[in-house]
């Protein structure tokens, strides 16, 4: 429709449209993603945009349209309103769009891709854009130059390139390498340089550029070549472009050295001496000459000919084969034939001076024919070679030989010439028949080929030899033999999986398949060992642990491929070497030791048992005390724990130590254990009387006090524990008007009135109380004086105090206090064991009950002690003990006013 519209526009408008045609030029890299801005047509054409127009003016908006959506239109996206040109989702590939070799332009309507431009590297994307409305109408020719990026590596058209160089090529010879590398990129992104990975010191590369900019690599010879020394060089040719970073491609370059005729034939010897009997038949082989040419093909072809110095009679008598160099008798020898012939033979090569060898033929004239030796082989014979198996028994027949005299007038004898286990003996009853047979077992491994001769001679002294070659065939008569019957190996534990141990080697003297050895593990080998059947490589597929198993011992077999197969066995021993992979381990995580207090210094408290599964120095363990080292020490070797000083339970009843065990590995491993030391109490503290506080204190007892009433108490404590702290109270001395009027409770120490007090019972009573523990082996005790003043009032204190200062005349009663926890001993009769057992049982049960009761009692006494803490009491100092006043919680007070 737009074209129809243009047809109907006036001539002036048409001319204006053409005059307003414009070209815009942009450039961008190939391979850009969609949405990349190429350019803004409105801005570059300086057209008014919607933002810059006067709102009052009702000018229609601009419109941009591609004249045709051809090939180029698929690579761009044009915004109809803004005129901005962006890349589309179809990626631009310069190498696919612009094939420089074609030099053609592919059109797609008004949009095309052009490769035809003045610059060989240009690649243009051509677009026709229409700008509307009519006021701004114009046809815009947009040219987008596609810039090349280095996105292609050089590539050789063939993976293998072969080049032939004559061995006589002089230095600096240049040879073009066919199939140069191709790079679709252009300019510096194309192929720039070539190089050889290995030039062998005799080659290098050069690059020549032609008029079209194509670069061709040339191989340059830098040193002398000799095909006979090295006939081929294999290297890699590398092509590199000029991009950043550069990309490379490679191919295998094989440089073959072609042969030239630079070697001539040569004989190994200069003269050959031959003897010929005069009665030899026509065609008898006289000798063969052979020359060698190091060249190849036609350059190494040799022909043989007589020298012109050889006389014609010798030429007629001996025929020379031009190709093989074989000399045969071609005429009969008669009496006129010379006895010595000097045959000068030339070895001719193309373009070479002939090699020369002289063959001296001496003819022995005979008047009769020599004996004949006719063999008839019994064993297998092929082309004059007899084949015998090595396991054939002794006296195996090989062949019959018939000895004949052609003239039938001479006696003929024969014998065997040569070494070997064979003999030739007459075969009776026939004349001139001889049997060749074996005399010993044959051994292929000792000797494989024997060459013997059957020599016949007649009475005139003429000798004839018949050479017999005997080839020994191998049998599977040898078992494989290990290089060592006992294979001792070692490997560190914690090895990597599939670790190599060793390569077994066994040999088999047999040949061929019979000597091929395969290796197998014995049935006693653990499954995690593997043995390669072909190579004999022994590996272990898992990690070995020395602590789990230190020694491995199993068998391996070497089996040959004969029939039947033979085998041999060797023993493999593997010692797993120790690594320090185990920390020292204590037998217990926690150790507890019970030690009596006052234990002597450096006495043995206990033994700390620790083990380390490692061996040697890795298993050596050293012990040390981490805390409390100022009190405790440990024997690092034996693990004996000792205290430097005597321990007192009353100062500290238990100790918690941490012991560290360190092994001798590198690096060392360690572990720790907790040690608890509990001190057992011994009876080293006498009871401490806390009340009464003094032997001079006294208490007023009213005469009206009823019998059974508590008067006062004796209160004592013992720093020991258990039975050592169980206290018993007893009155061991009395003085007063009626001293038996008072009694003391052995458990609680409460003093009570036993009987009613009478008028004549008034006065001062003095009770000597013994406070004793139940310690073992000897109980300890303290004493205290309890003073009771029986009266209605205290009218004269000074008098009472004077009485108290006087030494009491009290007789001590040594009487043990009776308490309920003390077991009752019965008299045992010696006549029967049963009462003894019953008594022991009762004592055991009593001891258990005593310990239980004492525990309850101590708890109750401690509670009572804390209950009394706030009371105002006077402290009694024991007679045979010391007390630390700072440890007492009681408050002293005067009781004289009671």
């Amino acid at each position: 429709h737009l074209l129809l519209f243009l047809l109907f526009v006036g001539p002036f408008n048409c001319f204006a449209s053409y005059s307003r045609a414009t070209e815009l030029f942009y450039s961008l890299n190939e391979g850009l993603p969609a949405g990349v801005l190429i350019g803004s047509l409105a801005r570059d054409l300086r057209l008014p945009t919607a933002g810059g127009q006067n709102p009052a003016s009702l000018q229609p908006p601009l419109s941009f349209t591609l004249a045709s959506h051809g090939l180029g239109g698929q690579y761009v996206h044009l915004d109809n309103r803004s005129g901005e040109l962006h890349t589309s989702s179809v990626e631009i590939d310069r190498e696919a769009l612009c094939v420089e070799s074609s030099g053609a332009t592919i059109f797609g309507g008004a949009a095309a891709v052009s490769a035809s431009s003045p610059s060989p590297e240009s690649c243009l994307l051509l677009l026709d854009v229409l700008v509307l409305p009519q006021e701004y109408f114009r046809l815009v020719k947009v040219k987008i130059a596609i810039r090349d990026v280095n996105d292609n590596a050089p590539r050789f058209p063939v993976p293998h390139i072969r080049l032939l160089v004559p061995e006589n090529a002089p230095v600096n010879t240049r040879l073009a390498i066919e199939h140069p590398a191709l790079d679709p990129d252009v300019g510096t992104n194309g192929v720039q340089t070539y190089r050889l990975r290995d030039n062998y010191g005799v080659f290098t590369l050069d690059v020549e550029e032609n008029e079209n900019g194509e670069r061709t690599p040339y191989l340059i010879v830098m040193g002398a070549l000799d095909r006979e020394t090295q006939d081929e060089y294999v290297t890699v040719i590398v092509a590199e472009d000029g991009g950043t970073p550069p990309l490379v491609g490679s191919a295998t370059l094989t440089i073959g050295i072609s042969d030239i005729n630079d070697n001539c034939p040569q004989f190994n010897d200069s003269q050959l001496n031959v003897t010929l009997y005069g009665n030899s038949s026509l065609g008898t082989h006289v000798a063969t000459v052979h020359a060698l040419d190091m060249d190849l093909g036609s350059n190494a072809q040799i022909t043989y000919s007589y020298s012109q110095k050889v006389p014609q009679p010798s030429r007629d008598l001996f025929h020379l084969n031009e190709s093989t160099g074989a000399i045969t008798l071609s005429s009969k020898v008669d009496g006129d034939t010379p006895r010595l012939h000097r045959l000068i033979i030339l070895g001719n090569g193309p373009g070479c001076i002939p090699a020369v060898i002289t063959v001296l033929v001496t003819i022995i004239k005979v008047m009769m024919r020599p004996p004949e030796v006719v063999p008839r082989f019994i064993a297998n014979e092929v082309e004059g070679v007899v084949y015998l198996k090595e396991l054939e028994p002794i006296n195996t027949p090989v062949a019959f030989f018939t000895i004949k005299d052609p003239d039938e007038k001479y006696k003929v004898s024969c014998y065997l010439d040569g070494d070997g286990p064979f003999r030739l003996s007459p075969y009776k009853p026939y004349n001139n028949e001889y049997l060749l047979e074996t005399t010993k077992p044959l051994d292929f491994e000792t000797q494989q080929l024997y060459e013997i001769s059957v020599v016949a001679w007649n009475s005139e002294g003429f000798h004839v030899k018949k050479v017999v070659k005997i080839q020994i065939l191998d049998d599977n008569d040898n078992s494989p033999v290990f290089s060592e019957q006992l294979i001792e190996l070692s490997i560190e534990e914690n090895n990597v999986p599939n670790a190599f141990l060793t390569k077994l080697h066994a040999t088999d003297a047999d040949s061929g398949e019979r000597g091929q050895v395969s290796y197998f593990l014995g049935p006693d080998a653990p499954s995690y060992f593997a043995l390669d059947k072909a190579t004999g490589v022994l590996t272990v597929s898992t990690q070995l642990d020395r602590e789990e198993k230190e020694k491995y011992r199993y068998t391996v077999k070497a089996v040959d491929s004969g029939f039947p197969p033979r085998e041999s066995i060797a023993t493999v021993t593997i010692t797993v070497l120790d690594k320090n992979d185990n920390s020292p381990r204590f037998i217990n995580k926690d150790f507890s030791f019970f030690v009596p207090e006052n234990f002597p210094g450096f006495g043995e408290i206990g033994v700390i048992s620790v083990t380390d599964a490692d061996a040697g120095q890795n298993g050596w363990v050293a012990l040390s005390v981490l805390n409390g080292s100022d009190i405790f020490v440990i024997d690092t070797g034996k693990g004996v724990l000792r205290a430097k000083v005597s321990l007192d339970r009353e100062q500290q009843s238990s100790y918690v130590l941490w012991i560290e065990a360190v092994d001798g590995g590198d690096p060392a491993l360690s572990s720790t254990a907790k040690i608890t030391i509990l001190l057992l109490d011994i009876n080293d503290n006498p009871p401490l009387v806390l009340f009464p506080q003094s032997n001079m204190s006294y208490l007023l007892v009213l005469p009206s006090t009823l019998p059974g009433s508590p008067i006062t108490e004796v209160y004592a404590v013992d720093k020991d524990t258990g039975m050592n702290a169980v206290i018993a109270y007893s009155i061991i001395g009395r003085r007063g008007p009626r001293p038996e009027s008072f009694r003391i409770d052995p458990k609680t120490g409460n003093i009570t009135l036993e009987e009613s007090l009478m008028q004549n019972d008034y006065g001062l009573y003095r009770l000597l109380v013994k406070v004793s523990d139940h310690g073992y082996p000897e109980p300890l005790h303290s004493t205290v004086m309890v003073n009771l003043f029986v009266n209605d009032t205290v009218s004269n204190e000074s008098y009472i105090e004077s009485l108290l200062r006087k030494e009491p005349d009290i007789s001590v009663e040594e009487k043990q206090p009776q308490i309920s926890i003390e077991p009752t001993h019965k008299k045992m009769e010696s006549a029967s064991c049963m009462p003894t057992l019953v008594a022991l049982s009762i004592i055991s049960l009593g001891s258990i009950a005593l310990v239980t009761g004492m525990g309850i009692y101590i708890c109750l006494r401690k509670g009572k002690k804390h209950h009394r803490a706030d009371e105002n009491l006077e402290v009694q100092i024991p007679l045979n003990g010391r007390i630390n006043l700072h440890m007492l919680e009681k408050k002293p007070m005067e009781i004289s006013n009671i």
Side-chain angles (χ1 to χ4, degrees):
H1 296 87
L2 177 62
L3 294 176
L4 292 175
F5 169 77
L6 293 175
L7 291 174
F8 287 96
V9 175
F12 177 78
N13 290 336
C14 186
F15 174 78
S17 299
Y18 279 105
S19 65
R20 296 168 69 183
T22 308
E23 281 193 0
L24 293 178
F25 183 81
Y26 300 104
S27 64
L28 77 159
N29 292 339
E30 63 173 325
L32 295 178
V36 175
L37 177 64
I38 301 174
S40 175
L41 273 64
R43 181 190 63 206
D44 297 336
L45 295 173
R46 300 182 179 178
L47 297 176
T49 59
Q53 294 177 357
N54 185 0
S57 63
L58 300 177
Q59 295 179 354
L62 293 175
S63 174
F64 299 87
T65 308
L66 286 174
S68 176
H69 293 277
L71 178 62
Q74 64 178 325
Y75 297 105
V76 297
H77 171 72
L78 177 62
D79 191 301
N80 294 338
R81 308 293 293 175
S82 64
E84 289 185 349
L85 199 60
H86 296 83
T87 57
S88 69
S89 59
V90 180
E91 183 179 296
I92 299 176
D93 184 2
R94 184 188 182 284
E95 289 73 35
L97 291 176
C98 302
V99 182
E100 295 181 16
S101 61
S102 65
T105 303
I106 304 173
F107 292 94
V113 176
S114 174
S116 300
S117 61
S119 172
E121 296 185 3
S122 63
C123 178
L124 296 180
L125 188 67
L126 304 180
L127 304 173
D128 289 345
V129 180
L130 296 176
V131 182
L132 296 175
Q134 182 64 26
E135 293 90 323
Y136 301 100
F137 172 77
R138 66 183 65 190
L139 176 64
V140 182
K141 295 285 187 178
V142 179
K143 295 182 179 180
I144 304 174
I146 309 301
R147 293 192 298 266
D148 183 48
V149 297
N150 192 28
D151 58 346
N152 292 278
R155 184 177 62 85
F156 286 90
V158 292
H160 299 278
I161 302 173
R162 183 169 183 85
L163 185 65
L164 286 178
V165 180
E167 64 174 323
N168 64 339
V171 176
N172 294 326
T173 298
R174 300 170 65 88
L175 299 168
I177 297 178
E178 298 180 359
H179 311 295
L182 304 176
D183 193 328
D185 297 325
V186 297
T188 58
N189 292 333
V191 177
Q192 299 296 315
T193 60
Y194 290 86
R195 68 176 185 273
L196 295 176
R197 287 189 183 169
D198 187 0
N199 57 20
Y200 295 96
V202 293
F203 299 106
T204 188
L205 287 180
D206 190 16
V207 180
E208 291 187 3
E209 186 174 354
N210 60 15
E211 296 177 354
N212 296 328
E214 297 178 349
R215 296 173 181 263
T216 302
Y218 280 80
L219 181 72
I220 302 177
V221 179
M222 302 297 293
L225 302 175
D226 184 6
R227 187 204 63 81
E228 288 72 33
T229 302
Q230 185 168 350
D231 61 354
E232 187 177 75
Y233 298 87
V234 180
T235 183
V236 174
I237 181 172
V238 179
E240 182 175 311
D241 62 23
T244 304
L247 302 178
V248 299
S250 63
T252 301
L253 176 62
T254 302
I255 306 170
I257 309 302
S258 60
D259 184 55
I260 64 168
N261 191 26
D262 57 346
N263 291 279
C264 291
Q266 290 183 352
F267 288 105
N268 291 330
D269 300 311
S270 61
Q271 182 171 311
L272 185 64
N273 298 320
V274 179
T275 300
L276 180 68
Y277 288 102
N279 60 351
S280 298
S281 59
L282 295 178
T284 301
H285 179 265
V286 178
T288 299
V289 294
H290 179 71
L292 181 64
D293 192 321
M294 298 297 293
D295 293 325
L296 293 177
S298 60
N299 294 329
Q301 289 182 356
I302 301 174
T303 59
Y304 301 93
S305 63
Y306 284 124
S307 171
Q308 294 181 357
K309 298 179 180 180
V310 178
Q312 191 61 42
S314 296
R315 294 170 181 259
D316 297 337
L317 184 61
F318 300 102
H319 174 262
L320 174 63
N321 190 305
E322 292 184 353
S323 300
T324 64
I327 303 172
T328 56
L329 184 65
S330 59
S331 298
K332 278 283 187 178
V333 178
D334 54 25
D336 297 330
T337 303
R339 297 186 60 185
L340 181 64
H341 296 266
R342 184 183 297 273
L343 305 178
I344 301 175
I345 299 175
L346 305 179
N348 304 294
C352 290
I353 298 175
V356 180
I357 187 172
T358 301
V359 179
L360 293 179
V361 181
T362 301
I363 298 178
I364 302 175
K365 293 185 177 182
V366 293
M367 300 306 294
M368 73 287 290
R369 290 181 292 176
E372 295 181 357
V373 179
V374 180
R376 288 172 293 164
F377 294 100
I378 302 172
N380 184 28
E381 179 267 340
V382 178
E383 296 182 358
V385 179
V386 180
Y387 295 91
L388 292 177
K389 292 184 178 180
E390 65 174 327
L391 297 182
E392 293 288 354
I394 301 175
N395 300 326
T396 297
V398 178
F400 278 114
F401 289 91
T402 302
I403 309 301
K404 296 181 179 180
D405 180 17
D407 298 326
E408 297 182 354
K409 59 182 179 179
Y410 299 104
K411 181 180 179 180
V412 180
S413 300
C414 71
Y415 66 91
L416 190 63
D417 184 25
D419 296 330
F422 304 97
R423 66 168 171 247
L424 184 66
S425 56
Y427 190 72
K428 304 294 183 180
Y430 304 103
N431 294 325
N432 297 331
E433 295 287 345
Y434 293 86
L435 176 65
L436 179 64
E437 59 185 354
T438 62
T439 58
K440 294 181 181 178
L442 304 175
D443 187 5
F444 173 85
E445 289 72 37
T446 302
Q447 188 168 346
Q448 294 86 36
L449 180 66
Y450 295 91
E451 187 170 323
I452 56 178
S453 299
V454 176
V455 181
W457 81 97
N458 58 19
S459 56
E460 296 299 321
F462 287 97
H463 292 74
V464 174
K465 282 187 178 182
K466 180 63 178 179
V467 178
V468 179
K469 293 182 179 180
I470 300 176
Q471 176 68 52
I472 308 302
L473 301 178
D474 187 30
D475 273 317
N476 193 31
D477 59 339
N478 290 279
S479 299
V481 178
F482 280 100
S483 56
E484 295 177 304
Q485 286 299 319
L486 178 61
I487 305 165
E488 296 180 330
L489 308 174
S490 63
I491 184 174
E492 278 194 343
E493 62 177 330
N494 305 330
N495 55 281
V496 297
N498 300 317
F500 173 83
L501 293 175
T502 189
K503 183 176 182 180
L504 303 180
H505 181 66
T507 57
D508 194 315
D510 295 323
S511 62
E513 292 184 354
R514 292 171 291 273
Q516 293 180 358
V517 180
S518 300
Y519 302 90
F520 302 93
L521 290 172
D524 54 345
S527 60
Y528 39 83
F529 288 95
L531 180 59
D532 190 277
K533 176 182 177 181
T535 63
V537 173
L538 181 64
T539 57
V540 56
S541 61
T542 186
Q543 283 190 347
L544 300 180
D545 186 0
R546 188 203 65 83
E547 290 73 35
E548 181 179 337
K549 190 171 183 180
E550 185 177 5
K551 295 281 188 180
Y552 293 88
R553 185 182 181 93
Y554 53 86
T555 57
V556 291
K557 294 191 299 182
V559 183
D560 63 21
S561 301
F563 184 80
R566 301 174 70 95
E567 66 180 38
S568 62
I569 296 176
T571 301
V572 175
T573 63
I574 301 175
T575 302
V576 182
L577 303 179
D578 184 56
K579 292 181 70 175
N580 193 29
D581 58 342
N582 290 277
S583 300
R585 184 175 182 181
F586 290 92
I587 293 180
N588 300 316
K589 292 183 178 179
D590 297 328
F591 290 85
S592 296
F593 296 107
F594 295 88
V595 181
E597 64 174 331
N598 300 331
F599 194 69
F602 293 98
E604 182 178 324
I605 294 176
V607 177
I608 310 299
S609 298
V610 62
T611 61
D612 193 314
D614 294 323
Q617 185 173 347
N618 295 332
W620 295 349
V621 179
L623 298 173
S624 61
V625 180
L626 296 180
N627 62 325
S629 58
D630 53 338
I631 299 177
F632 297 94
V633 294
I634 190 167
D635 188 330
T636 186
K638 298 180 180 179
V640 177
L641 181 64
R642 306 175 189 272
K644 299 178 183 179
V645 296
S646 179
L647 305 178
D648 187 358
R649 190 202 64 81
E650 286 72 38
Q651 292 184 2
Q652 187 171 340
S653 61
S654 65
Y655 296 87
V656 176
L657 305 178
W658 289 96
I659 303 297
E660 182 183 37
V662 181
D663 62 22
D666 183 19
L669 302 178
S670 63
S671 62
T672 57
K674 180 182 178 182
I675 311 297
T676 302
I677 302 173
L678 300 173
L679 297 182
L680 301 177
D681 184 52
I682 62 172
N683 195 27
D684 58 344
N685 290 281
L688 176 64
V689 179
L690 301 180
F691 185 82
Q693 297 180 353
S694 171
N695 290 332
M696 300 299 292
S697 62
Y698 65 94
L699 183 67
L700 176 64
V701 179
L702 298 178
S704 60
T705 302
L706 297 178
S709 299
I711 304 301
T712 185
E713 71 169 342
V714 176
Y715 179 66
V717 294
D718 197 314
K719 294 181 180 179
D720 297 323
T721 59
M723 295 301 296
N724 295 332
V726 177
I727 298 175
Y729 301 89
S730 62
I731 300 175
I732 61 172
R734 303 169 184 264
R735 186 170 180 79
R738 191 153 57 97
E740 63 273 5
S741 300
F742 299 94
R743 67 175 296 273
I744 190 169
D745 189 301
K747 294 181 181 179
T748 63
N750 291 332
I751 298 177
T752 57
L753 182 63
E754 285 289 295
E755 301 174 355
S756 299
L757 298 173
M758 306 303 292
Q759 184 67 30
N760 54 355
D761 293 335
Y762 285 38
L764 181 63
Y765 290 80
R766 308 195 75 175
L767 305 178
L768 180 60
V769 178
K770 179 180 180 182
V771 183
S772 176
D773 60 25
H774 284 71
Y776 178 84
E778 289 293 335
L780 302 178
H781 68 274
S782 300
T783 59
V784 65
M785 187 68 73
V786 179
N787 301 307
L788 303 176
F789 184 62
V790 179
N791 201 4
D792 292 324
T793 60
V794 179
S795 59
N796 191 351
E797 292 184 6
S798 59
Y799 171 71
I800 298 174
E801 291 176 356
S802 65
L803 294 177
L804 293 176
R805 283 193 292 271
K806 295 181 179 179
E807 287 291 334
D809 185 11
I810 299 176
S811 58
V812 178
E813 304 172 4
E814 290 298 333
K815 182 180 179 182
Q816 285 292 109
Q818 298 294 325
I819 60 175
S820 60
I821 62 173
E822 183 176 337
T824 303
H825 298 279
K826 295 184 179 181
K827 184 177 180 182
M828 295 186 296
E829 298 180 5
S830 61
S832 174
C833 292
M834 186 60 67
T836 302
L837 296 176
V838 173
L840 291 176
S841 300
I842 293 173
I843 291 173
S844 300
L845 293 174
S847 299
I848 295 173
L850 179 63
V851 171
T852 304
M854 288 300 100
I856 297 173
Y857 175 73
I858 291 171
C859 293
L860 293 175
R861 294 296 294 174
K862 287 183 177 180
K864 186 174 181 181
K865 173 180 177 181
H866 290 294
H867 178 70
R868 288 171 168 264
D870 297 330
E871 295 182 3
N872 296 326
L873 297 177
E874 189 177 45
V875 179
Q876 168 69 41
I877 301 177
L879 300 182
N880 57 347
R882 295 182 179 178
I883 185 169
N884 186 354
L885 295 179
H886 296 287
M887 297 175 60
L888 300 176
E889 298 179 359
K890 306 273 184 185
K891 296 181 180 179
M893 63 173 292
E894 297 291 338
I895 62 171
S896 59
N897 295 325
I898 296 178

